[in-house]
Amino acid sequence: MLTLKMAFRNLWRNKRRTGLIILAMVVALSMLMLAIGILNGMMADIIASATDQYTGHIQITKEGYPDDRDLYKSMKEDQQYIKQLEAISGVVAASARLRCFGLLSAGNRTQAIEVLGVLPEEEKKVTTLSQKIIKGTFQVGPGECAIGQILAQKLGVDLNSQLVFLTSAADGSIGNDFLKVKGIFKTGSFDHDGTLALVKLPWLQDLLVYPGQIHEIALRVKNPAQSPLVSQKIPPKLSNTPLLIRPWQEILPAMKQILDFYDIYLIVLLSIFYLATGLGIINSFFMIVYERTKEFSMMLSLGTTPGEIRRLMLAEAFFMGLISVVIGGSLGFGLLSWFYFHGLDLSAWMTPITYLGATIPPVLHTQFSYQGIIYPILFLLGTSAAAAYIPAWRASRLDPVKGMRRG
Amino acid sequence: MKKKLTSMLVSLISLLFCSNVFMVTVPLSAIPLEKKDLAEIIREVEKKYIGDSAKGSMEMKIVTRNYTRKMSMQYWSKGKDRFLVRILSPAKDRGISTLKLRKNIWNYLPKVDRVIKIPSSMMGGSWMGSHITNDDLVKETRIAENYTFRLLKDEKSLMEIEGTPQPAAAVVWGKIVYTVAMPDLVPVEIAYFDDEGNKVRTIRYSEVKEIDGRKIPLTMEVLPLEKPNESTIIHYDSITFDVSIKDDFFSIQTLKK
């Protein structure tokens, strides 16, 4: 108890010295919290853009459909089955989709596109495409479509423009009809903005002469990381049609690898960061021992045991660590919150990066995580104690006679 | 996806053209004397459905793994360069028309009121899973020009003629074998072989009827051998030869009517 008291008082004997060490630790802690927050945010954005925007967290298709997206590899649009899916715990919503490929023209401009037939009110619950509408509406009716902003640009069209869509219908005929632009979306993904059109499911079924058929059911789950577990609860057959049920980790295996790698990356980053901080703290403590040689020698001469000196130093380090945690933690938390709400706008230096179907937006938002806050704090306390140990040990082993003379 | 669309457009066109698939565009005099007889027979066979000018109606039934489809069509032709066909039923495809002028092909889609000229890059596939490709349209009309013929069998009622590509000719088939009923030169079967000598397609003719003094098989069955249960069957409901049609009937204006 006396040691703690002395240690605490010692801190304020040389305020500048203590302040500098604390400052170093505060900066290290808060910056690390911020860095992890930004990385977490980036990862969340990547997962979200890869899954929330278009893919969904789990996709149910007929076996073989993802290989070639063959029009005929379809399944029944079974409302009961969809209700059944939505009742599974962990599933938030399900959206049935029919997909086809064709040519979209306006005047003499033509683009090859992917058309996704959805029920807008269902799709809204599963993907975030509806939130990416920059003009018009997501609620398209029969003969209406929502298209990507780049596609609109390429075709030179705007809201209420009339387009002609041509495709190969399921009965072998040429599916051809008008489409009116009712919405324009911007996702940041070049693929989706440049080649995707959303239409109403029943309309597309009519055009394709494919009544009651769909190609996939996209699911949204509460916790995307749990998708593989939720997948296992899904009935693998729909009236004898063998189904393929894939969580996004399977649909986007590269994305999963990135995330696995990210965990390792975080540990490496943390280690490097704290090694550097630790070395700084060791250096400062050696300076303390050097400065206070006379003081320690005096204490030793007066009968303080080397063990007490050691504990005194460690306690001082611990206090500094504790103060840094309080200040740095608050600062870090403040920074996290600021960038959580306001984002780190890098759009002046970078454009959205699309990689493996995911988009990294130019405005980075931090993401809170338990690990991203607790680990840096524990690491800091550990580092400050560990870094103080060697200088403390040095101080306890001083030769008091030599030491006194030096001062 | 572009390809898919392409191929379907292409095969529509070729399907619509199946009636004059076997036109021969080369003058007989260009064919070496000793081969002339066989080449002339082939030419006769293929001119069967065309004459100088013709009009008529036909029904086409396509059976594939994925769908069965029936269409009825009306067509007009003049010589080997002019051809127009219009879908009458089913109702949803009514009015879809195709025009051929020499080597150019246009499609008209009445629902969206669009005329689409088929670029040459889009002429190389199958449409509607029908089993006639565009090469049947463009290249089969040059069989006599590009192939050398040999008599395989010559019986009183039946003749078998084998066509093999001339060395420099750019052709699709490695070999074609015609079976023709004599003496009226009515086609019975045409077998198509690939470069490895495998038989890949058969066209069978049946229901021979005499129209305007010509004996014509009214049914034509295209059977792709790699898809055993699939077929395209064309049946002529009516054919009238030597009708008076002006050249400018075959125009975009008529196409859009």
Side-chain angles (χ1 to χ4, degrees):
Chain A
M1 201 55 223
L2 181 71
T3 315
L4 289 179
K5 217 168 177 177
M6 276 176 65
F8 194 72
R9 283 191 185 153
N10 279 342
L11 288 185
W12 312 114
R13 286 204 344 238
N14 190 335
K15 292 194 181 92
R16 196 201 298 164
R17 186 177 66 206
T18 306
L20 277 172
I21 296 174
I22 288 177
L23 184 69
M25 294 203 276
V26 162
V27 169
L29 177 62
S30 55
M31 284 302 130
L32 193 69
M33 280 171 71
L34 181 65
I36 292 174
I38 287 176
L39 279 172
N40 278 342
M42 219 159 91
M43 283 298 137
D45 281 341
I46 288 174
I47 297 176
S49 69
T51 60
D52 290 7
Q53 225 169 66
Y54 172 80
T55 312
H57 295 144
I58 299 173
Q59 271 186 13
I60 303 170
T61 57
K62 185 179 180 176
E63 235 168 44
Y65 177 72
D67 301 337
D68 52 9
R69 292 186 163 187
D70 181 354
L71 180 66
Y72 298 106
K73 288 177 184 158
S74 62
M75 54 189 177
K76 218 169 72 188
E77 183 190 0
D78 187 337
Q79 289 305 327
Q80 236 175 336
Y81 181 70
I82 292 170
K83 288 238 167 67
Q84 209 180 317
L85 290 173
E86 284 176 329
I88 293 171
S89 75
V91 174
V92 177
S95 173
R97 300 156 154 192
L98 180 66
R99 179 181 288 111
C100 79
F101 301 94
L103 297 176
L104 192 63
S105 359
N108 48 18
R109 296 193 201 183
T110 299
Q111 291 290 324
I113 61 155
E114 171 189 344
V115 169
L116 200 62
V118 298
L119 295 170
E121 44 303 346
E122 301 302 318
E123 183 67 22
K124 235 166 130 172
K125 296 179 203 158
V126 173
T127 59
T128 54
L129 257 178
S130 58
Q131 298 158 26
K132 310 284 178 183
I133 293 281
I134 51 170
K135 259 186 198 174
T137 175
F138 185 71
Q139 299 284 349
V140 291
E144 297 173 351
C145 66
I147 61 175
Q149 178 219 20
I150 297 171
L151 182 60
Q153 228 167 51
K154 280 184 192 162
L155 291 171
V157 297
D158 211 328
L159 286 187
N160 294 318
S161 296
Q162 184 144 282
L163 306 173
V164 170
F165 179 58
L166 296 181
T167 187
S168 160
D171 68 343
S173 64
I174 302 177
N176 63 105
D177 209 342
F178 294 112
L179 269 176
K180 202 168 205 184
V181 182
K182 278 291 170 189
I184 293 174
F185 56 80
K186 183 183 180 183
T187 63
S189 153
F190 191 79
D191 279 354
H192 299 156
D193 291 349
T195 60
L196 185 64
L198 267 108
V199 300
K200 197 156 177 138
L201 178 62
W203 179 84
L204 190 61
Q205 285 169 336
D206 279 354
L207 182 78
L208 294 179
V209 202
Y210 217 29
Q213 294 292 312
I214 54 171
H215 284 128
E216 69 191 26
I217 300 173
L219 298 182
R220 182 180 193 84
V221 300
K222 275 188 197 109
N223 181 354
Q226 300 286 312
S227 301
L229 280 174
V230 178
S231 304
Q232 287 168 8
K233 299 184 208 161
I234 294 167
K237 269 190 174 178
L238 169 60
S239 48
N240 290 326
T241 307
L243 299 178
L244 187 65
I245 296 154
R246 297 183 308 157
W248 64 266
Q249 288 92 335
E250 262 174 56
I251 302 170
L252 308 161
M255 200 55 57
K256 185 178 177 284
Q257 281 171 10
I258 289 176
L259 293 178
D260 289 346
F261 174 74
Y262 168 69
D263 286 342
I264 297 167
Y265 175 71
L266 208 61
I267 291 169
V268 172
L269 182 80
L270 230 69
S271 310
I272 293 172
F273 217 87
Y274 273 108
L275 194 66
T277 314
L279 285 173
I281 295 175
I282 289 179
N283 183 45
S284 311
F285 272 90
F286 268 120
M287 293 307 294
I288 290 175
V289 174
Y290 185 76
E291 268 178 30
R292 289 159 68 186
T293 301
K294 203 172 176 183
E295 178 196 330
F296 289 136
S297 302
M298 181 77 77
M299 285 170 74
L300 285 166
S301 310
L302 290 174
T304 315
T305 62
E308 277 167 342
I309 298 272
R310 220 165 32 229
R311 279 196 290 279
L312 181 71
M313 289 278 301
L314 288 177
E316 284 182 31
F318 178 74
F319 276 130
M320 281 195 264
L322 210 60
I323 293 165
S324 308
V325 163
V326 173
I327 302 173
S330 325
L331 183 65
F333 199 80
L335 285 170
L336 273 178
S337 313
W338 171 265
F339 287 115
Y340 178 78
F341 290 114
H342 295 88
L344 181 60
D345 193 349
L346 300 176
S347 50
W349 296 281
M350 64 180 262
T351 51
I353 300 164
T354 303
Y355 179 64
L356 295 168
T359 307
I360 304 169
V363 179
L364 298 175
H365 288 269
T366 53
Q367 192 79 40
F368 288 94
S369 71
Y370 170 73
Q371 291 97 330
I373 293 171
I374 293 299
Y375 284 168
I377 288 174
L378 289 180
F379 262 85
L380 183 76
L381 287 175
T383 308
S384 61
Y389 190 79
I390 302 168
W393 182 76
R394 266 287 296 274
S396 69
R397 296 290 298 268
L398 276 173
D399 181 345
V401 181
K402 276 188 192 162
M404 299 251 279
R405 276 203 198 117
R406 263 185 55 196
Chain B
M1 60 185 158
K2 213 166 190 171
K3 205 172 162 193
K4 227 172 181 175
L5 189 74
T6 306
S7 61
M8 89 190 184
L9 286 174
V10 161
S11 36
L12 166 66
I13 293 145
S14 34
L15 253 189
L16 297 176
F17 276 85
C18 55
S19 60
N20 62 350
V21 147
F22 304 111
M23 290 187 317
V24 178
T25 55
V26 136
L28 285 180
S29 56
I31 298 162
L33 201 67
E34 66 271 21
K35 309 280 185 196
K36 186 172 170 178
D37 287 346
L38 292 179
E40 193 173 354
I41 287 169
I42 299 301
R43 183 171 151 71
E44 280 297 312
V45 166
E46 294 173 348
K47 229 189 140 186
K48 280 258 165 220
Y49 291 100
I50 303 165
D52 290 329
S53 65
K55 68 174 186 180
S57 62
M58 55 186 166
E59 194 168 81
M60 182 166 69
K61 192 179 173 195
I62 307 162
V63 178
T64 74
R65 205 159 48 90
N66 296 309
Y67 54 84
T68 301
R69 182 171 150 81
K70 232 182 195 172
M71 298 155 70
S72 69
M73 293 174 289
Q74 206 176 3
Y75 74 92
W76 298 264
S77 74
K78 189 167 186 184
K80 60 198 178 209
D81 285 338
R82 294 181 177 83
F83 185 77
L84 181 78
V85 66
R86 184 166 291 154
I87 296 177
L88 298 175
S89 77
K92 81 177 180 63
D93 296 327
R94 190 183 168 87
I96 294 180
S97 316
T98 297
L99 170 70
K100 176 192 173 180
L101 275 181
R102 288 173 195 90
K103 283 178 181 171
N104 295 323
I105 288 166
W106 292 267
N107 254 344
Y108 176 63
L109 301 170
K111 193 171 172 187
V112 291
D113 191 27
R114 282 224 148 192
V115 174
I116 300 161
K117 183 166 191 270
I118 307 304
S120 55
S121 62
M122 289 174 80
M123 308 265 281
S126 165
W127 183 64
M128 278 197 199
S130 91
H131 305 94
I132 301 169
T133 68
N134 195 62
D135 284 312
D136 297 326
L137 169 66
V138 176
K139 295 216 168 116
E140 296 298 295
T141 57
R142 290 185 161 71
I143 296 275
E145 185 183 334
N146 290 319
Y147 286 74
T148 313
F149 298 99
R150 184 164 74 93
L151 197 59
L152 285 185
K153 230 190 254 175
D154 187 8
E155 289 159 10
K156 256 203 180 127
S157 58
L158 228 55
M159 209 177 197
E160 244 179 68
I161 300 169
E162 180 195 78
T164 44
Q166 288 166 12
V171 294
V172 180
W173 309 107
K175 190 171 83 177
I176 303 175
V177 175
Y178 293 83
T179 308
V180 180
M182 302 305 280
D184 300 306
L185 299 180
V186 178
V188 175
E189 188 181 293
I190 306 176
Y192 297 83
F193 297 78
D194 65 13
D195 291 333
E196 277 89 49
N198 305 309
K199 195 169 171 181
V200 288
R201 190 176 79 174
T202 305
I203 299 181
R204 256 187 228 143
Y205 298 86
S206 57
E207 218 187 312
V208 181
K209 214 182 157 192
E210 197 168 317
I211 295 169
D212 295 344
R214 300 159 192 257
K215 280 197 170 164
I216 291 174
L218 292 184
T219 303
M220 180 178 154
E221 253 178 295
V222 183
L223 306 162
L225 297 180
E226 70 272 25
K227 296 170 193 157
N229 296 318
E230 301 196 357
S231 65
T232 298
I233 302 170
I234 291 154
H235 182 264
Y236 289 87
D237 295 327
S238 74
I239 307 179
T240 314
F241 289 104
D242 304 323
V243 288
S244 68
I245 313 172
K246 279 188 183 151
D247 282 2
D248 59 13
F249 172 80
F250 299 91
S251 65
I252 304 282
Q253 280 76 16
T254 317
L255 182 72
K256 288 176 80 169
K257 255 175 212 163

